[in-house]
Amino acid sequence: LMHRNRPRRVPVPAPDIAAALAAARPVAVHERVPEAPSEEDRAARVAQLAQVLRQLMAEPDAAFRQPAVLYQDFLVRLKIARLGAPPDLVAFRRMLALARAGVDEAALATDPQWPDVAAQSAALPEDTQGVYLLLAGAALSARPCPSDEAIARAYGSRSPGRARRLLEWLEGQGAIVCRTDALGRRIVALTGSGRETAPGDPAAAA
């Protein structure tokens, strides 16, 4: 009788090893934040990207190819050179405008008028920014006004007539003022700053 009243033993479940290990694993209090690149690192990367773009633009007819086509070629070259994440298409178009204009942004950045020039360029349609930067670079450096051929090339065109129409359009937008000297040479002034190019022959070679 006493044997029948003995309490029954309840089986104890086997320990969950995975749960125990997870509970014992320390919780990271602070995640490691990647260090921001230094000014030197950023400058070096900009120089590397510019070098790749210069090599690309040195190819025959590169100045006249569509930006989207050039961008694909640029991405391939960056991958080959292992230069990390590429700039997006918007940033590339900005780089392309500077390259087509032959403008050394780092050199001009020391000029107190450069921020205004950069802001005016950004306010213009993308396909005209290279032309404006070409003219602005000449004005800030007091170089002769670019020829029709040079202006057309900065636009990605071979047409001198289109270059002249672009100048008229930029003047109509209030970005520049064009005039000629007694010898018929063209001078372009930047509105706002009053900085202007030296006289240049519109018919000169690029």
Side-chain angles (χ1 to χ4, degrees):
L1 181 61
M2 292 179 62
H3 178 71
R4 290 180 181 176
N5 294 333
R6 183 179 299 172
R8 303 179 67 183
R9 299 179 63 183
V10 179
V12 178
D16 188 336
I17 304 299
L21 290 175
R25 186 170 55 201
V27 177
V29 178
H30 298 290
E31 294 292 337
R32 185 174 180 182
V33 178
E35 294 183 5
S38 65
E39 282 294 330
E40 292 78 9
D41 291 339
R42 283 195 289 268
R45 176 166 172 77
V46 169
Q48 289 172 329
L49 295 178
Q51 176 64 21
V52 172
L53 184 55
R54 279 195 297 271
Q55 293 171 351
L56 173 58
M57 297 305 293
E59 293 188 352
D61 292 332
F64 309 109
R65 292 161 63 190
Q66 292 297 317
V69 176
L70 289 171
Y71 183 59
Q72 294 303 317
D73 196 345
F74 183 70
L75 293 181
V76 172
R77 290 168 184 262
L78 291 187
K79 186 177 294 185
I80 292 172
R82 296 182 177 178
L83 290 181
D88 60 22
L89 182 56
V90 173
F92 174 77
R93 286 178 180 272
R94 171 71 176 176
M95 293 171 59
L96 182 61
L98 290 167
R100 280 177 165 168
V103 172
D104 185 348
E105 187 172 16
L108 292 177
T110 59
D111 191 296
Q113 297 294 335
W114 177 250
D116 292 337
V117 167
Q120 174 65 71
S121 170
L124 294 170
E126 217 171 56
D127 58 347
T128 65
Q129 291 178 10
V131 173
Y132 178 78
L133 289 170
L134 173 67
L135 299 170
L140 296 182
S141 305
R143 297 194 309 270
C145 181
S147 66
D148 292 341
E149 186 177 323
I151 292 171
R153 180 180 290 270
Y155 186 69
S157 171
R158 293 183 173 88
S159 170
R162 175 167 289 181
R164 291 188 290 272
R165 290 192 295 273
L166 279 168
L167 289 178
E168 292 174 1
W169 185 86
L170 286 171
E171 192 165 18
Q173 298 300 305
I176 62 172
V177 173
C178 300
R179 62 186 177 88
T180 56
D181 67 2
L183 300 177
R185 296 175 299 180
R186 183 169 57 215
I187 299 169
V188 169
L190 306 181
T191 57
S193 69
R195 302 280 287 275
E196 61 182 27
T197 68
D201 181 4

